[in-house]
């Protein structure tokens, strides 16, 4: 959905509202519409109740018009909130009138009727009021500009020309010779023209990629910044391409289109200017880049061609291998003769893996191949609470004298880690290696404390990752709940993620056992931390991201089988926007995901089992979070 606020300023939106008040008041069964306005604090409860009690259709229409008239006069400052509120997809599905108005804003087909001139006498009598209103508005604008963070959007030439002739109050008091606002196509009937040449689209263009619709900011594109916005979330072209499920094309200039025309054509013809966008990882934390002396490969090379990377590993020159202590001699010998060791079924099966589940005694962890350097270098083992080197992991497992035996004490699928080293899957770096793992500076050491991918979506991408200062987790700003604001990135104070915030206060939240019926009936605003934690816990457990996105985008027949689709991303958006009233509404949407999964996958045992497994995790954690008794 393209929000109207991307196309118009507050004054235009207010005028658009005034022109369509009558249409809005004539909507059939407006109770849902009014409930939406009340839930977003746009109208007081007494006005809502007054119209809700009306029985006559004519009275309801008059009552609704009075509410809209009151909104225009008393809530004009919140006109952007009004349109964002009623242009919600669920609300538009209920009212065709809202859908038509939304389309007018979206395709630029709306226009204003020319205002009728008023007598000079009327104008002169209101001159004092206009001056006072102008002064008030100027003062108000200065105050708003000092605190608001969004960038002001440039306006069309015809608007600027009108403002040069009229003060701020001219938008509310008609002038004698007012011009018609040029928001619709300037062409005559029957003529055609590309929308990227229209004045209204001189700063932004509507674009699509697959099933996703967004808005392209021309200036941001020319500067190489995040330039495409979708539901108030900014993407680079590459990110938007991946978000739309078109990553396989690997050419956003062709996959992203404006009215069916690829951006590549618009760029070549000079309609758009585009900076060079690199496809590497662009994160708040620096990647641990490996140099020519290293034996392992970088993540970026692995993403391009995993198979060729393994061939490159086998071709590493033995000149980088030097003799050292007894422990290092053993490492060097296994490095020089990987082909002399017989490959077990484990090493053959796991040659392409990047992450391995390992144990040492009772302690479990995941070993990340791209972070592995040697026994003492590279924090490659991730436990629930910390990143460790192999030797640190063995000591953490209560084996303090096992400095030289980490290769046999750490087990993968019942076999010692030395099997992966001898099979060439794990490579020990040379003593001369100068990569960020072997010769780390302070920034490298700090980066090794946190994950290299988002805890929620499992991706790194071009977005910055925000690191928790109390646990190893990292998050994209919009993946974490609540969303991480930009000012936190530049704040030196320690930041705590929702996982840590919840666990820090868990014991004091629900000391006494509760009944489920009592919990689900409570207002969600009182239990927001618990619900945010539960959803992040569920998203983190969904390792393959099966339930993260809208299934209708990938399954053609899904909408014919399932009438009410639901997915974790949608629940996250509703939780962030505070659209739930009670905990029960939140839980109901979560359960709907698993109900839909069971209904659609009746003949697919694999996905049915995954859905049931995730459901059991949620039910168990829900009971634990709220200390719910089984009775």
């Amino acid at each position: 959905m393209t929000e109207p606020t991307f196309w118009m300023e507050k004054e235009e939106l207010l005028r658009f509202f005034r022109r369509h008040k009558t249409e809005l008041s004539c909507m059939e069964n407006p109770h849902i519409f009014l409930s939406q306005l009340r839930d977003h604090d746009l109208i007081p409860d007494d006005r809502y109740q007054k119209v809700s009690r009306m029985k006559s259709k004519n009275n309801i229409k008059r009552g609704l018009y009075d509410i809209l008239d009151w909104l225009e006069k008393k809530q004009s400052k919140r006109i952007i909130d009004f349109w964002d509120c009623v242009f919600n997809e669920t609300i538009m599905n209920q009212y065709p009138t809202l859908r038509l108005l939304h389309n007018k804003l979206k395709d630029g087909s709306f226009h204003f009727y020319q205002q009728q001139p008023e007598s000079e006498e009327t104008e002169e009598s209101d001159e004092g009021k206009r001056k006072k209103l102008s002064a008030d508005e100027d003062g108000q604008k200065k105050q708003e500009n000092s605190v608001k963070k969004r960038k002001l959007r440039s306006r069309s030439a015809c608007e600027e020309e009108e403002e040069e002739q009229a003060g701020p109050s001219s938008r509310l008091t008609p002038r004698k010779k007012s011009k018609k606002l040029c928001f619709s196509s300037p062409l005559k009937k029957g003529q055609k023209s590309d929308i990227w040449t229209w004045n209204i689209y001189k700063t932004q263009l509507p674009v699509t990629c697959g099933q996703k619709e967004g808005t392209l900011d021309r200036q941001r594109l020319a500067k190489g910044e995040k330039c495409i916005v979708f539901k108030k979330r900014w993407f680079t072209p590459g990110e938007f391409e991946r978000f739309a499920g078109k990553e396989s094309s690997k050419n956003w200039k062709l996959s992203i289109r404006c009215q069916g025309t690829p951006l590549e054509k618009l760029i070549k013809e000079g309609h758009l200017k585009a900076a060079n966008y690199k496809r590497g990882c662009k994160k708040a934390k620096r990647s641990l880049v490996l140099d020519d002396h290293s034996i392992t490969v970088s993540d970026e090379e692995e993403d391009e061609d995993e198979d060729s990377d393994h061939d490159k590993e086998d071709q590493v020159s033995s000149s980088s291998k030097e003799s050292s202590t007894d422990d290092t001699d053993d490492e060097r010998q296994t490095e020089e003769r990987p082909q002399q060791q017989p490959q077990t079924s484990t090493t053959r099966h796991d040659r392409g893996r990047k992450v391995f589940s390992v144990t040492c005694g009772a302690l479990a962890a995941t070993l990340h191949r791209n972070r592995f350097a040697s026994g003492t270098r590279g924090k490659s083992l991730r436990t629930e609470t910390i990143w460790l080197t192999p030797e640190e992991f063995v000591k953490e497992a209560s084996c303090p004298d096992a400095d030289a035996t980490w290769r046999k004490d750490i087990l993968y699928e019942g076999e010692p880690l030395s099997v992966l080293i001898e099979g060439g899957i794990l490579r020990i770096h040379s003593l001369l290696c100068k990569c960020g793992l072997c010769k780390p500076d302070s920034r490298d050491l700090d980066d090794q404390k946190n994950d290299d991918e988002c805890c929620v979506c499992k991706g790194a991408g071009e977005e910055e990752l925000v690191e928790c200062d109390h646990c190893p987790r990292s998050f994209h700003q919009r993946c974490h709940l609540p969303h991480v604001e930009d000012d936190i990135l530049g704040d030196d104070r320690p930041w705590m993620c929702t996982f840590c915030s919840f666990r820090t206060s868990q014991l004091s939240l629900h000391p006494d056992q509760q009944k489920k019926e009592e919990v689900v009936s409570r207002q969600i605003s009182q239990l927001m931390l618990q619900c945010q934690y539960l959803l992040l816990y569920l998203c983190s457990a969904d390792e393959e991201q099966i339930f993260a996105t809208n299934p209708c985008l990938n399954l053609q027949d899904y909408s014919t089988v399932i009438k009410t689709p639901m997915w974790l991303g949608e629940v996250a958006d509703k939780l962030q926007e505070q659209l739930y009233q009670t905990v029960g509404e939140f839980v109901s949407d979560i359960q709907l995901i698993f109900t839909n999964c069971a209904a659609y996958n009746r003949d697919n045992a694999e996905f049915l089992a995954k859905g049931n497994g995730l459901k059991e995790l949620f039910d168990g954690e829900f009971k634990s979070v709220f200390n719910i008794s089984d009775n």
Side-chain angles (χ1 to χ4, degrees):
M1 181 183 74
T2 305
E3 283 95 352
T5 53
F6 299 148
W7 307 106
M8 303 173 68
E9 298 295 331
K10 284 185 178 180
E11 292 81 0
E12 290 95 42
L13 285 170
L14 187 60
R15 184 172 293 182
F16 184 79
F17 174 81
R18 183 181 305 122
R19 296 299 185 192
H20 295 93
K21 277 193 302 183
T22 303
E23 295 175 52
L24 292 170
S25 67
C26 293
M27 294 189 300
E28 295 292 331
N29 301 318
H31 296 89
I32 297 177
F33 173 77
L34 287 171
S35 298
Q36 180 79 343
L37 296 180
R38 183 190 62 171
D39 293 346
H40 286 73
D41 299 323
L42 288 166
I43 61 174
D45 190 65
D46 58 342
R47 290 181 177 270
Y48 166 81
Q49 295 294 344
K50 181 179 179 180
V51 177
S52 297
R53 288 192 294 266
M54 293 178 179
K55 302 298 182 182
S56 169
K57 290 186 177 180
N58 289 333
N59 288 341
I60 292 176
K61 289 179 182 178
R62 284 194 293 269
L64 179 55
Y65 186 87
D66 289 342
I67 285 180
L68 295 174
D69 195 51
W70 178 85
L71 273 169
E72 179 188 355
K73 294 176 181 178
K74 301 297 183 180
Q75 297 280 57
S76 59
K77 295 178 181 178
R78 298 191 61 194
I79 190 64
I80 293 178
D81 296 334
F82 171 83
W83 288 119
D84 284 346
C85 166
V86 301
F87 282 160
N88 179 281
E89 191 68 27
T90 302
I91 304 302
M92 288 195 295
N93 288 338
Q94 298 289 330
Y95 301 106
T97 298
L98 292 177
R99 178 73 66 181
L100 291 174
L101 294 180
H102 176 262
N103 291 339
K104 281 186 178 183
L105 288 171
K106 181 179 175 181
D107 60 20
S109 63
F110 65 90
H111 61 85
F112 297 119
Y113 303 108
Q114 186 162 347
Q115 299 172 346
Q116 297 298 324
E118 294 187 358
S119 64
E120 294 184 9
E121 181 178 344
T122 303
E123 185 179 35
E124 290 173 0
S125 64
D126 292 338
E127 182 177 359
K129 294 181 180 179
R130 287 201 306 273
K131 288 181 178 180
K132 182 178 180 181
L133 180 60
S134 175
D136 292 342
E137 288 187 355
D138 287 341
Q140 180 182 343
K141 286 183 179 179
K142 290 179 180 179
Q143 184 178 4
E144 290 179 350
N145 288 338
S146 65
V147 296
K148 69 179 182 180
K149 297 179 181 178
R150 84 173 80 180
K151 294 183 179 179
L152 296 176
R153 300 174 180 83
S154 58
R155 290 166 287 182
S156 61
C158 59
E159 290 179 86
E160 292 171 357
E161 181 180 351
E162 185 181 34
E163 277 203 83
E164 289 176 0
Q165 298 177 1
S169 61
S170 65
R171 297 188 179 274
L172 300 177
T173 306
R175 288 208 176 252
K176 187 174 181 180
K177 294 183 180 180
S178 61
K179 294 186 178 182
K180 181 178 178 180
L181 294 176
C182 305
F183 287 112
S184 59
S185 171
L187 302 175
K188 295 181 180 179
K189 188 175 182 179
Q191 289 183 314
K192 293 183 178 180
S193 175
D194 299 320
I195 68 170
W196 46 83
T197 62
W198 298 5
N199 279 336
I200 187 175
Y201 295 118
K202 73 176 184 178
T203 59
Q204 296 170 322
L205 277 178
V207 294
T208 59
C209 185
Q211 300 296 321
K212 299 294 184 183
E213 298 180 4
T215 304
L216 172 70
D217 187 295
R218 292 174 179 259
Q219 294 182 352
R220 285 173 174 251
L221 178 69
K223 295 178 181 178
E225 301 173 352
K226 295 183 178 183
C227 59
I228 299 177
V229 65
F230 174 84
K231 289 187 176 181
K232 301 182 182 180
R233 179 179 175 185
W234 285 96
F235 298 87
T236 64
E239 289 173 349
F240 188 65
E241 181 184 53
R242 289 192 291 276
F243 178 68
K246 296 291 183 180
E247 184 177 8
S248 58
S249 65
K250 295 184 179 180
N251 190 344
W252 58 265
K253 293 181 181 179
L254 292 177
S255 60
I256 301 177
R257 298 167 175 261
C258 177
Q259 281 203 338
T261 301
L263 295 189
E264 184 176 57
K265 182 177 179 181
L266 301 185
I267 294 171
K268 287 182 178 179
E269 293 179 355
H271 298 294
L272 289 176
K273 294 182 180 179
N276 291 326
Y277 284 86
K278 297 181 180 180
R279 278 192 165 269
C281 292
K282 186 178 181 182
K283 306 183 293 186
K285 57 181 292 183
R286 185 172 58 185
S287 298
L288 301 176
V289 182
L290 309 180
D291 60 18
D292 294 336
H293 296 285
S294 175
I295 298 179
T296 57
V297 294
S298 68
D299 285 342
E300 188 174 345
E301 292 173 330
E302 286 183 352
D303 290 338
E304 292 175 358
D305 189 351
E306 191 174 273
D307 292 333
S308 63
D309 288 340
H310 294 305
D311 294 336
K312 291 177 183 178
E313 288 178 359
D314 292 335
Q315 296 172 4
V316 175
S317 172
S318 61
S319 61
S320 63
K321 306 179 182 68
E322 301 291 332
S323 59
S324 182
T325 61
D326 295 341
D327 185 55
T328 309
D329 286 338
D330 293 339
E331 295 174 353
R332 180 177 58 81
Q333 291 170 9
T334 58
E335 226 175 9
E336 291 176 338
R337 301 192 301 271
Q339 301 300 327
Q340 297 177 9
Q341 301 292 340
Q343 286 193 342
T344 66
S345 59
T346 299
T347 58
R348 286 195 300 268
H349 175 72
D350 296 306
R351 177 164 287 276
R353 295 176 66 93
K354 299 179 183 179
V355 180
F356 306 86
S357 297
V358 298
T359 59
C360 183
L363 187 61
T366 54
L367 188 150
H368 295 249
R369 189 179 69 179
N370 65 309
R371 283 194 175 210
F372 179 79
S374 69
T376 57
R377 293 171 291 167
K379 295 184 180 293
S380 56
L381 289 139
R382 165 70 148 83
T383 68
E384 178 65 22
T385 58
I386 195 171
W387 282 91
L388 302 167
T389 65
E391 288 191 2
E392 289 172 343
F393 179 64
V394 172
K395 291 180 180 179
E396 189 76 11
S398 300
C399 300
D401 299 327
D403 291 353
T405 61
W406 58 268
R407 283 176 291 182
K408 70 176 183 179
D409 289 335
I410 300 177
L411 303 180
Y412 168 64
E413 293 189 349
E415 297 183 328
L417 209 60
S418 59
V419 173
L420 297 181
I421 298 173
E422 293 166 358
I425 296 175
L426 293 179
R427 293 302 188 99
I428 297 175
H429 290 208
S430 159
L431 288 177
L432 301 180
C433 177
K434 297 180 181 179
C435 73
L437 295 171
C438 297
K439 300 291 182 181
D441 57 23
S442 58
R443 178 69 187 273
D444 292 328
L445 288 172
D446 185 62
D447 285 345
Q448 288 189 49
K449 296 177 182 178
N450 288 84
D451 300 339
D452 298 320
E453 64 181 19
C454 176
C455 172
V456 177
C457 72
K458 316 303 178 188
E462 298 173 351
E463 292 186 61
E464 291 183 338
L465 289 172
V466 186
E467 304 171 343
C468 179
D469 292 299
H470 299 268
C471 76
R473 296 180 182 88
S474 300
F475 302 86
H476 289 129
Q477 289 179 253
R478 295 295 176 254
C479 288
H480 185 267
L481 290 173
H483 293 342
V484 182
E485 301 301 330
D486 291 337
D487 56 351
I488 292 180
L489 294 180
D491 196 334
D492 293 333
R493 290 175 297 178
W495 176 72
M496 181 181 290
C497 71
T498 294
F499 283 95
C500 296
S501 297
F502 169 74
R503 284 169 180 163
T504 300
S505 55
Q506 184 177 9
L507 294 177
S508 60
L509 289 175
H510 305 287
D512 300 324
Q513 285 195 335
Q514 303 181 90
K515 293 182 178 180
K516 183 176 180 181
E517 294 76 13
E518 297 174 352
V519 172
V520 297
S521 63
R522 292 180 62 182
Q523 291 292 313
I524 198 170
S525 58
Q526 304 171 4
L527 304 169
M528 185 61 73
L529 175 62
Q530 293 91 319
C531 293
Q532 289 171 339
Y533 164 77
L534 279 169
L535 187 57
L536 289 177
Y537 174 83
L538 204 58
C539 292
S540 179
D542 183 19
E543 292 284 349
E544 301 176 45
Q545 297 291 279
I546 296 174
F547 304 96
T549 57
N550 187 353
C552 296
L553 301 178
N554 302 316
L555 303 170
Q556 295 181 353
D557 64 333
Y558 193 85
S559 58
T560 61
V561 180
I562 304 300
K563 301 305 180 184
T564 311
M566 185 56 61
W567 57 99
L568 295 177
E570 178 70 5
V571 178
D573 289 342
K574 293 173 71 173
L575 199 61
Q576 174 67 24
E577 295 171 15
Q578 300 182 4
L579 300 182
Y580 294 116
Q581 298 299 314
T582 65
V583 175
E585 293 177 8
F586 164 72
V587 173
S588 178
D589 271 356
I590 294 292
Q591 298 295 351
L592 181 59
I593 297 175
F594 304 128
T595 302
N596 290 344
C597 175
Y600 184 80
N601 294 292
R602 291 176 180 174
D603 300 326
N604 190 328
E606 179 184 358
F607 284 94
L608 187 61
K610 291 179 178 179
N612 290 336
L614 206 61
K615 181 181 184 302
E616 291 178 3
L617 277 176
F618 176 78
D619 291 342
E621 195 68 12
F622 181 82
K623 288 183 178 181
S624 174
V625 166
F626 292 106
N627 195 12
I628 295 176
S629 60
D630 294 329
N631 298 331

